[in-house]
Each structure stands twice: as C-alpha cells, then as structure tokens.
Amino acid sequence: MSTLTRSPAWQALATQQKKIAAAGLAELFAADPARAGRFTLEAAGILLDYSKHRADAETMRLLVALAAQAQVPQWIAKMFAGDPINGTEARPALHVALRSRDAVFPAGRDVMTEVRATRERLRRFVGEAHGGALRGASGRAITDVVNIGIGGSDLGPRMLTRALRRFHKPGPRLHFVRNIDPADLDAALAGLAPETTLFIVASKTFTTAETLENAGRARAWLEATLGKTADLSRHFAAVTANLAGAAALGVPQERVFPLWDWVGGRYSVWSAVGLPVAFAVGMDAFEELLDGAHSMDEHFRTAPLERNLPTVLALLGIWYVNFFGAQTRAVIPYCEDLRELPAYLQQLEMESNGKRVDRGGNEVDYDTAPVVWGASGTPSQHSFHQLLHQGTRIVPVDFVVAQEPRPSAAQTGLAANALAQAAALAFGNPAPGAPHKALPGNRPSSTLLLRRLAPRELGALIAMYEHKVFVEGIIWNLNSFDQWGVEHGKTLAHTLVPRLLGSGEAADLDSSTRALLERLRKRD
Ligand code: F6P
C-alpha cells in the first residue's frame, strides 16, 4: 500500500464513504435545511453550489484534512514562489505570472519584465490588425487570421475565441487549424484569399509535426498565388519558445512572440498563445481575462482550504474517483458559446493528471484523473443524459451556467433546463409500478454559475480549473506539469512514415501493425 492509501486521512475517508453511501441526497438535504447555503462558495465572479454532492459537513472536514495532510498550502506557496515543482523537467510552473499584477514576480526570479514587454508587443500588433494597418505582401489589409497549432497551442485560443463571441470587435476573421489531416487546413482555407490571410504558427517547441506540416502547406498555398518572390514573411507570425525554429520558417523576428519553458502548453493561453483571442476581442478585453484569472489566483493563494473554490472542487473530484470508483466526470456547459470547454478541460485534466507513477517514480495504487468528457446542454440532454439519469455508472457532472443580465425567453429556458437536470439527477423521480421510468436520483453534480459570460469571469473559470487540477495532483502525489506519455506515439509515427511510403522494412513490427501497414500500402 502507498503512503497515501495507508494514511489516517485516507482511511478516515474510506470509513466515511460507507456512512455516506447509505444516505441519499434527499436525506442529506432534509437533515440540514441550510445545506444549500452552507455548501456554496463564491469567488471572482464564480458561484459554486456543491450541495448536490454525496457529502456532509463531516465528509468535507475529512477531505480538508486530506488536503492538509498532503500539504496543499505549502505546495501552493511553492508554485507562487516559482519553485521547480515540475520535477521531471526541473522547471517552475509559473503560468500565474502571466496574469500577475506585481511589478516583480516571483520574488528572487523576476519574469515580469519579459511578460510585460511581450504584452505590449501584442497590444501593438493587435492594434495594427484592428486599425487596418496589418497588410500582406501585396499591400492589401489582412482580413483573415489562421491559427496553426495543436494541443495547448490550439484548444485554449479556440475555446476562448468562441466563448467570447459576443465581445468580438470588427477586425480580421479567426480560423483554427490543428490536424495533420490536410482536410483541416483545406477546409479553413476554402474561400480565403492568400493576399489577405495571415497565419499564426503557435508551437511552444516548434517541433510538433502537425504544426510544422500545416505551416509548410500554408506557405506553399501562399506561394502558389503570390509567387516565390513575394515577401511571405508579411503573412506569418509565430508564438514559440524556440526562436530559431520560427526564424527557420521565415517568420521575421518582430513577428515572433516568445513563450518560456516555465509555461506548460496547456497552461499557455494567458501568454502570446492567446493572440487569436486578443485579435478577436481586443487587447483590453484580453487583459480583463487575465485580471479575472488573477482574481482567482489570489483567492486560491489566500482562502482557507475549506473556503477555497478550486480546492473544494479538487477534493470532490478525489472523493468520487477514489472512494466511489467514478471513472469519468462530465462537463456540461449550458451555454453554446462554451461548447469547446469540455475539450479544453480534457487536455488540462487528462494530460496533467492522467498518470500512474508518483513524484518519487513509484507506481500508484489508487486511481488518478478520470476521463473528462461532455458537450453543451441542451443538446446533450437529447444524446447522453439517459445514461446519466438511469445508467449503471456514477458520473459526477459539472454544470456550467452563465447569468444573463436581461435573459430572453430562450435563455430562461436554457437556465431552467440546467437547474432541472441537476435536480433530477440529485433527487430522481419515483415511478411506482414502472421501474423503467424511475429515476433513482442520488447522482452528484456541481453547479458553477458565472456572473456573466464575459472575459473576467471566463478568466476566473479557467484559472479555477487549472488550480483544481493542481490540487488533485498534489494529493495524488503527481507531477501535473509534464506529459511524457505522449512522446512514444510521436516517435512511432515518425518511424512509420517511410514504411507507409514503401521504403522501410516492416519485419520488426508487430503482426497487427504490419498487416494494416501492408493494406494501406496497396493503393488500388
Ligand atoms: O503532445 C502533447 C503536447 O506536447 C502538448 O502538451 C502541447 O500542448 C502540444 O503537444 C503542442 O505542443 P507545441 O505547442 O510545442 O506544438
């Protein structure tokens, strides 16, 4: 048994689970008329109602004890101090610096000078685009911007650009390309004019095959119309920590925006990786997003564990994964503009904590990150909610709802559906004599209410999830900031390309891969 599963806090929770499993949510509510208020937290424009969880005050006390045992406050302090908490890569995880308001941060290793300088460069660049001063090789103004990137260099900007649709300013249209499948770039470029198109090549490493392939194809597309002698550098910008890589693609130095090794890809939307968002909403709104994230950082850094919104969410995550055996968690934004949020959180949570070896290199004997999935409500109700209500699995849900200052009838219907789903999951519906119609209830969910769907609240929401993932990682004793698991597949794919082209030897491959490869080689 690991130190964690043997620990007093863990054992106490295992005992507590048996007590709670016998009680229904309806009983927990009946036993405590003030439960809804008691199990609600608010910070940085986000309200979390966690009353519909299978937990009582004693459960929360024990979960907080687990966090204290894992030294969560000390780890939070280490992150904000810029300690190298990404142990396998000997780096700090300092994404909080990207939204810091401090003149010097962190103490002893100031990164703010370069952060601020980059933000100023972004402001000028975005201003040029909105002022029509951003021009292509032929002198015509840029009308379309295509972000080429994948993973953290795609999911954040894509999600936020859509989420902030109502804040878009007149300016270039935004497009996103990530897949090495040429269909992705082809579809994005259909209808665009090379003369008026700018590509942002976003890649922290500038070695990612998908991104480099698409950047090469984009260049060829420009060349085919504008000619080899045109100044194609006017059609590119780059965001990267690999300045030499961007230069090799021909991106002029003044169009290369830096990233740093202390920013993880999936934590990078606050950096120049967020350039498409800034193009869409303007730099002022982008900075409001950063401010919202900073407010959540401050809450996370200073609030006591039991009132700490990301920590409470993390503890509930652990409660279900480790004590109820939940294998998945659904994220259902009742907000079409947040439809990309589940995909964003998939990378954030599954790439951060989808690990089976602890910080000391030992295999763990407890489950770690669940499968995160979801889709926007209400369409999700007509797709997978049947399983949520009547299936055999426990699937905790995060319902994300945005308040509307003056909701239309349709928006009222949207909110009503969100509340109805959470209540139906929690309290079920008996159907005497018709078991097929009965909803058993007792199915947990959080409701996250955003003051409104605006830059500040979105910044706070995303920062909240980042910190939730961090706290889970601390308790599971994981390094949440590396992703070694994805490397081997990249190497294998690299070795298979020449063999698919017919030139490489296939004898060393397993029989399944070899047979599929041979089938793919036959081009008739
Ligand atoms: O392969 C996984 C990954 O390294 C992610 O962590 C990262 O967000 C993505 O690839 C893209 O990496 P890059 O920004 O270096 O192209």
Side-chain angles (χ1 to χ4, degrees), residues 56-388:
D56 58 5
E58 176 63 2
T59 313
M60 295 314 298
R61 193 186 65 73
L62 294 172
L63 285 167
V64 167
L66 179 71
Q69 175 187 275
Q71 304 199 318
V72 167
Q74 290 88 334
W75 278 95
I76 295 175
K78 280 188 207 184
M79 176 166 79
F80 281 86
D83 286 2
I85 57 174
N86 174 355
T88 60
E89 295 173 316
R91 294 173 185 165
L94 258 184
H95 42 284
V96 290
L98 299 168
R99 55 242 189 175
S100 170
R101 290 186 198 133
D102 293 349
V104 175
F105 181 85
R109 182 203 166 162
D110 179 34
V111 298
M112 292 313 294
T113 310
E114 41 192 351
V115 168
R116 268 192 304 271
T118 306
R119 226 184 275 161
E120 279 317 305
R121 287 184 56 210
L122 287 176
R123 180 174 283 281
R124 280 198 296 278
F125 193 43
V126 170
E128 277 176 44
H130 287 174
L134 206 59
R135 291 174 185 276
S138 71
R140 285 183 60 194
I142 296 295
T143 57
D144 291 274
V145 173
V146 182
N147 189 75
I148 298 179
I150 198 165
S153 300
D154 164 73
L155 287 161
R158 184 188 287 260
M159 183 267 293
L160 287 174
T161 299
R162 171 66 201 222
L164 293 173
R165 186 185 53 85
R166 283 192 276 175
F167 292 80
H168 284 199
K169 289 192 144 181
R173 288 178 293 263
L174 270 309
H175 312 265
F176 293 88
V177 172
R178 58 186 167 197
N179 201 330
I180 198 166
D181 182 343
D184 200 10
L185 183 71
D186 291 349
L189 297 185
L192 302 194
E195 271 185 294
T196 56
T197 301
L198 174 88
F199 294 94
I200 302 171
V201 186
S203 174
K204 180 178 165 184
T205 56
F206 235 79
T207 57
T208 303
E210 292 91 335
T211 302
L212 295 186
E213 177 71 30
N214 278 321
R217 291 190 72 235
R219 172 170 278 278
W221 178 78
L222 291 169
E223 256 177 29
T225 307
L226 305 177
K228 280 197 189 326
T229 53
D231 182 8
L232 296 187
S233 70
R234 300 178 72 90
H235 294 262
F236 282 100
V239 181
T240 186
N242 176 358
L243 304 181
L249 186 76
V251 186
Q253 218 182 347
E254 66 278 10
R255 290 276 186 86
V256 181
F257 298 92
L259 251 185
W260 305 277
D261 68 357
W262 45 264
V263 187
R266 55 193 172 275
Y267 299 88
S268 66
V269 72
W270 322 100
S271 71
V273 167
L275 179 56
V277 187
F279 268 138
V281 299
M283 203 57 197
D284 288 346
F286 185 70
E287 290 194 345
E288 282 174 27
L289 180 90
L290 302 182
D291 277 349
H294 177 72
S295 302
M296 184 55 75
D297 294 342
E298 282 305 283
H299 165 78
F300 180 57
R301 198 174 61 78
T302 57
L305 293 175
E306 67 280 6
R307 307 289 307 159
N308 195 305
L309 217 152
T311 300
V312 166
L313 277 177
L315 291 171
L316 290 165
I318 284 176
W319 181 230
Y320 292 111
V321 166
N322 299 115
F323 299 94
F324 281 84
Q327 294 294 318
T328 83
R329 190 175 103 258
V331 177
I332 309 181
Y334 271 72
C335 200
E336 193 53 29
D337 284 336
L338 273 179
R339 67 184 185 194
E340 305 290 341
L341 181 67
Y344 176 82
L345 294 180
Q346 271 175 345
Q347 188 201 17
L348 181 64
E349 303 207 12
M350 294 166 76
E351 203 172 69
S352 296
N353 287 339
K355 293 169 188 168
R356 49 177 276 290
V357 166
D358 70 15
R359 283 193 216 103
N362 310 302
E363 199 164 324
V364 299
D365 63 355
Y366 43 84
D367 274 329
T368 60
V371 173
V372 177
W373 60 287
S376 64
T378 61
S380 59
Q381 293 176 203
H382 302 271
S383 162
F384 57 73
H385 284 221
Q386 165 63 37
L387 181 149
L388 298 182

